[in-house]
Amino acid sequence: MKIKENLIFSLFLFFFFTIYLITLFPGPGGRVNAGDSMKWQFIGKVLGTPHPTGYPLFILLSAIFSRIPLPIPLFTKINLISTFFAILTLFFLFKTLRLLSLNIFSSFVVTSIFAFGKIFWSQATEAEVYTLNSFFISLIIYLLILWKIKGDERAFSLSFFLTIFSLSNHITILLLFPPILIFTLLLSPKSLFKKRTIYFLALSLLLLIALYTFLIWRSNASIYSEFTIKNPGDFVHFISGGAWKRSLDFSHLSSLKTGIIKFISTIPSNITFPSLIILFFGIFSLLKDLKAFLLIFLSNLLFLFFSSVYLIRDVEVNYIPVYFFMVIFIASGMNFLLELKSSKFLKTLTALALLTLPTSLFISNYREIKVEESSWGEWIKIVFSNFKRDTIFIPDYINYDQDMALCYGVFGLDFIKKNNIVIGEHFEEREKIIEDYLEGKEFFFKRFRLDKDMKIVCFDGGIAMKLSERFRVEKRALSDKIEIPYFRIMKKN
């Protein structure tokens, strides 16, 4: 029976993998945050450093994927990182549901609901750090439940190791610490002090330190670095996400209310409203296993609270852990409904009704997830077919996506080798750099010395206007499928 179940589930995962491949984002960028996705698509190739909190593990993984000798574009290779860890997330979600003694049908249906939820599906098919984060969460929860049910101390030690190590990808994993501690204290406090746990703790800290040491080195050495770490203060600011702290608002209930309302608006496209009714049955059903209930419920609550007070534009990606824990309750609720004493006909009717939930999500979300082309891919193609070499690009200061599109072209497509550079928003005093260059002063871009008389192509009207007082500025445009206006900045004759 177990072999048959594993075989069926393997086919089930292959089905998800196929759907994700069909809907893989088709070029540079992504649906939720095009700029960040383009950054992830090139940054591993140059072993660069991104915005806080650094994500060194993802950078290392993308460096490996970018070097796999496959005849596919760079953006596809990096997009597949998300797909790979999305499938592993679904695997451990299903295994956790089965460990909780939920029936196969409920486990399959709920795994499908999570797989076809709009947010998770989008992140499974574009370059981002969130399915790697969900993989760690799903594996940690699986190991903790395995430890509880089978008393496997190795599972606990490994979960402890992964909880620390996963901070190398996303620091929101810290929200798991309180529920895991409560779960451990209720189940077996002495496990915290066993030799194996201490060894795993030491190993995880060593690896974490190694990865962040790598990040410090690359922040000073890479040709792409958004933040140079020069001292301990810089490092703390960087890894703690100091730049994003202003986006956390704990001061007003109105902020929390706004965040909750935004979350509620995403429910129809991620689990559907009918699933909420089933979820309430699941809460009461899972209460019979109080320790597992507290682990899942408190984790769900903390991630929901965090995502509700974190006021950023693309906050919905932080809902993935919330929905992960919610679907566990939904599975428990389905299991409860299917085990109620009723006629075979009524049970069949209930099962068919439950199947409509993932089916409706698949149908409604497929149209939005399936993207035919990348607009930024077309933009990059036009720009770099016209400026093949010896060009200094200046993106529009407020257009982050354009900045990353140019960086993707220069770094991701190796246009840096043709003496092209981007003076983007991660450069301080951009205007002064251009002024110095036009006045004949030497300018070194990391280890590259810029040749004289390079073309200066500026997409920022504000900078062009300021520099027009001292230099010659001509407004031009590139035309193909789309018109791309820009300014050429030159020395005055």
Side-chain angles (χ1 to χ4, degrees):
M1 184 66 182
K2 197 72 175 176
I3 295 172
K4 186 179 178 182
E5 178 184 324
N6 288 335
L7 178 62
I8 293 170
F9 187 60
S10 296
L11 294 172
F12 198 54
L13 286 178
F14 182 75
F15 166 70
F16 289 131
F17 182 68
T18 303
I19 296 297
Y20 287 162
L21 284 184
I22 291 169
T23 55
L24 204 66
F25 193 79
R31 307 169 193 82
V32 177
N33 189 327
D36 273 4
S37 290
M38 278 186 279
K39 181 194 299 181
W40 299 128
Q41 287 168 336
F42 73 77
I43 202 166
K45 188 169 184 178
V46 295
L47 286 173
T49 51
H51 58 272
T53 56
Y55 316 94
L57 179 60
F58 189 89
I59 301 301
L60 207 56
L61 287 170
S62 61
I64 293 167
F65 271 69
S66 68
R67 287 161 176 79
I68 296 174
L70 292 174
I72 56 176
L74 177 62
F75 59 76
T76 302
K77 290 179 183 178
I78 309 306
N79 289 349
L80 285 171
I81 297 175
S82 294
T83 305
F84 177 73
F85 286 106
I87 295 299
L88 287 178
T89 300
L90 298 178
F91 175 82
F92 285 110
L93 170 61
F94 179 83
K95 290 295 183 181
T96 300
L97 298 177
R98 294 294 288 141
L99 272 179
L100 290 168
S101 300
L102 305 181
N103 62 55
I104 296 175
F105 179 82
S106 299
S107 301
F108 274 126
V109 171
V110 164
T111 302
S112 301
I113 288 173
F114 187 69
F116 294 137
K118 183 181 176 182
I119 298 171
F120 185 76
W121 191 350
S122 73
Q123 296 307 290
T125 52
E126 63 189 47
E128 260 294 1
V129 299
Y130 298 102
T131 60
L132 177 55
N133 192 47
S134 66
F135 157 71
F136 277 122
I137 291 172
S138 65
L139 179 52
I140 290 164
I141 296 300
Y142 168 77
L143 289 169
L144 289 170
I145 299 297
L146 182 67
W147 173 52
K148 175 188 172 296
I149 291 172
K150 298 191 176 180
D152 189 341
E153 288 291 335
R154 290 171 300 178
F156 172 74
S157 299
L158 185 55
S159 71
F160 205 67
F161 166 83
L162 289 168
T163 306
I164 304 295
F165 179 69
S166 60
L167 290 170
S168 61
N169 176 61
H170 211 281
I171 63 168
T172 56
I173 214 84
L174 285 168
L175 295 167
L176 279 182
F177 281 35
I180 289 175
L181 182 60
I182 292 170
F183 180 77
T184 305
L185 291 175
L186 288 173
L187 195 60
S188 175
K190 63 184 180 182
S191 295
L192 286 168
F193 306 101
K194 289 187 175 179
K195 283 184 180 179
R196 184 188 288 114
T197 304
I198 294 169
Y199 291 152
F200 272 65
L201 171 62
L203 179 60
S204 63
L205 288 172
L206 282 172
L207 288 173
L208 193 63
I209 291 167
L211 282 167
Y212 275 104
T213 302
F214 158 80
L215 188 74
I216 294 169
W217 166 53
R218 294 310 299 170
S219 80
N220 291 276
S222 176
I223 58 175
Y224 182 88
S225 176
E226 292 189 17
F227 190 97
T228 303
I229 301 170
K230 297 178 180 177
N231 54 59
D234 287 346
F235 180 67
V236 171
H237 178 81
F238 190 76
I239 66 166
S240 65
W244 309 112
K245 286 178 184 176
R246 63 181 180 274
S247 300
L248 285 167
D249 188 354
F250 300 101
S251 58
H252 302 289
L253 281 175
S254 58
S255 299
L256 180 61
K257 181 182 175 183
T258 302
I260 293 290
I261 290 171
K262 185 168 184 177
F263 170 74
I264 291 171
S265 71
T266 68
I267 288 175
S269 61
N270 287 281
I271 55 171
T272 74
F273 277 127
S275 291
L276 290 181
I277 300 169
I278 303 169
L279 181 144
F280 286 114
F281 284 108
I283 289 174
F284 291 109
S285 177
L286 204 58
L287 263 171
K288 62 188 178 186
D289 187 345
L290 185 60
K291 296 179 184 70
F293 171 84
L294 286 173
L295 175 66
I296 295 159
F297 182 77
L298 291 176
S299 299
N300 196 358
L301 206 61
L302 287 173
F303 277 101
L304 178 59
F305 177 77
F306 169 78
S307 61
S308 299
V309 297
Y310 191 33
L311 308 178
I312 57 170
R313 179 172 59 88
D314 54 346
V315 68
E316 61 265 30
V317 289
N318 290 288
Y319 298 156
I320 290 175
V322 182
Y323 283 121
F324 174 84
F325 291 110
M326 287 179 76
V327 297
I328 295 176
F329 285 119
I330 293 169
S332 179
M334 283 187 185
N335 193 82
F336 172 79
L337 292 173
L338 290 169
E339 288 186 350
L340 289 173
K341 288 184 179 179
S342 60
S343 65
K344 189 176 180 181
F345 172 76
L346 195 58
K347 283 192 175 183
T348 303
L349 207 61
T350 303
L352 289 172
L354 293 175
L355 278 172
T356 64
L357 298 175
T359 305
S360 65
L361 283 173
F362 175 79
I363 293 169
S364 62
N365 288 332
Y366 182 86
R367 289 191 293 269
E368 290 189 53
I369 297 295
K370 180 63 175 166
V371 178
E372 296 304 323
E373 62 180 352
S374 163
S375 59
W376 283 110
E378 184 65 30
W379 192 92
I380 291 167
K381 193 185 299 179
I382 294 170
V383 170
F384 287 96
S385 63
N386 282 273
F387 302 107
K388 290 182 166 47
R389 62 178 306 110
D390 302 320
T391 306
I392 298 171
F393 294 104
I394 308 171
D396 183 348
Y397 183 73
I398 61 171
N399 194 333
Y400 172 69
D401 293 350
Q402 185 187 92
D403 193 337
M404 291 300 105
L406 288 169
C407 287
Y408 178 84
V410 169
F411 304 128
L413 302 179
D414 280 337
F415 277 94
I416 185 68
K417 293 179 181 176
K418 298 176 182 178
N419 209 37
N420 295 300
I421 71 156
V422 180
I423 301 182
E425 66 174 0
H426 53 288
F427 277 89
E428 296 179 4
E429 302 179 337
R430 297 199 305 165
E431 293 163 45
K432 189 175 186 308
I433 291 171
I434 296 302
E435 287 177 359
D436 288 349
Y437 179 77
L438 288 169
E439 288 172 355
K441 296 178 183 177
E442 280 192 330
F443 177 56
F444 285 86
F445 178 70
K446 297 293 180 177
R447 61 182 178 272
F448 294 94
R449 180 184 178 278
L450 297 190
D451 296 338
K452 292 184 178 180
D453 302 319
M454 288 175 68
K455 295 181 290 290
I456 298 178
V457 175
C458 178
F459 297 94
D460 192 317
I463 286 180
M465 185 175 292
K466 288 177 183 176
L467 293 177
S468 66
E469 297 172 7
R470 298 179 56 196
F471 305 100
R472 184 155 61 97
V473 175
E474 295 178 2
K475 187 173 184 179
R476 301 182 183 182
L478 299 173
S479 295
D480 195 356
K481 291 182 182 178
I482 51 177
E483 187 176 274
I484 302 174
Y486 69 95
F487 298 89
R488 276 293 310 276
I489 303 174
M490 297 160 280
K491 297 175 185 176
K492 286 186 177 179
N493 293 333

